[in-house]
Amino acid sequence: MTHLKVGDKAPDFLGVDQEGHTHQLADYKGKKLVVFFYPKANTPGCTAEACDLRDHYEDFKSNNYALLGVSADNAKAQGNFKNKYQFPFPLIADEDKTVIQSFGVWGPKKFMGKEYDGIHRTTFIIDEEGAIAQIISDVKTKVHSSQILG
C-alpha cells in the first residue's frame, strides 16, 4: 500500500513518543532503524508483535538496530502500553498521523465486512544511511523479529 520502495530515502519524520521526547530520522544515522506501524495499542495482534520485538531486543541491539513503534494512539495510551509490557523502545504517539502518512501506511481497510480508514500494519527497516532496506507488509505478529533478523 505504501508508495515507498526498497532503496528510497526514508521520510525525514519527526514524531513525539509516550514521554514527550522527539524522534527524527537523523537521530538514528549510523544505526539500522526498525520503524513498525501498528493499528492500536493493547490489542491482541499489536501486543503480540511488540512483545515479540521486546523479547528479541538484545538480538536487535547486538546487530546495531534501534526500534521505534508508531500508531495513532495518544501519548497516554502509548505510555500505558509501553509500561504494561515493559517495552525497551519508544512508541510514537502520532495522533495527527503525520509520520503514518509520510510512510504511506494509512488507508482503506476491511474488517468483518465493514470498510474504514486505518493503519496498515507495516514495518520499514532503514539502513545506517537513511535508505529503506526492507519493507514488511505481511507482518507475522508472533514471530515478527525473525522476519527482520532472518
Side-chain angles (χ1 to χ4, degrees):
M1 183 192 129
T2 180
H3 59 285
L4 298 169
K5 300 180 299 304
V6 170
D8 286 353
K9 181 161 176 19
D12 192 14
F13 65 86
L14 178 66
V16 179
D17 71 15
Q18 74 288 338
E19 293 170 0
H21 300 128
T22 59
H23 297 265
Q24 56 190 353
L25 183 60
D27 297 340
Y28 297 95
K29 187 164 175 59
K31 283 199 171 290
K32 292 178 262 190
L33 176 62
V34 175
V35 182
F36 65 100
F37 291 89
Y38 57 95
K40 189 156 182 54
N42 274 307
T43 55
C46 299
T47 300
E49 178 183 10
C51 286
D52 178 64
L53 296 173
R54 174 203 64 204
D55 294 347
H56 294 89
Y57 185 69
E58 290 305 316
D59 295 331
F60 284 106
K61 270 180 47 180
S62 66
N63 285 288
N64 198 35
Y65 284 94
L67 279 74
L68 198 55
V70 184
S71 77
D73 293 296
N74 65 35
K76 185 174 193 278
Q78 295 288 51
N80 290 341
F81 189 39
K82 180 176 168 46
N83 293 336
K84 181 176 182 179
Y85 295 101
Q86 299 176 332
F87 298 136
F89 42 79
L91 302 175
I92 299 294
D94 193 25
E95 288 183 88
D96 67 2
K97 301 175 193 72
T98 306
V99 179
I100 292 163
Q101 289 175 338
S102 71
F103 278 84
V105 296
W106 181 264
K109 296 175 74 170
K110 268 189 181 167
F111 183 68
M112 294 175 64
K114 290 193 163 77
E115 281 200 33
Y116 62 97
D117 282 343
I119 296 173
H120 289 256
R121 186 185 312 276
T122 310
T123 297
F124 294 82
I125 294 93
I126 301 167
D127 71 16
E128 296 88 341
E129 299 303 314
I132 296 171
Q134 187 180 1
I135 300 171
I136 303 170
S137 53
D138 182 22
V139 172
K140 310 249 185 291
T141 58
K142 293 181 177 147
V143 293
H144 192 37
S145 58
S146 67
Q147 289 181 286
I148 299 164
L149 294 168

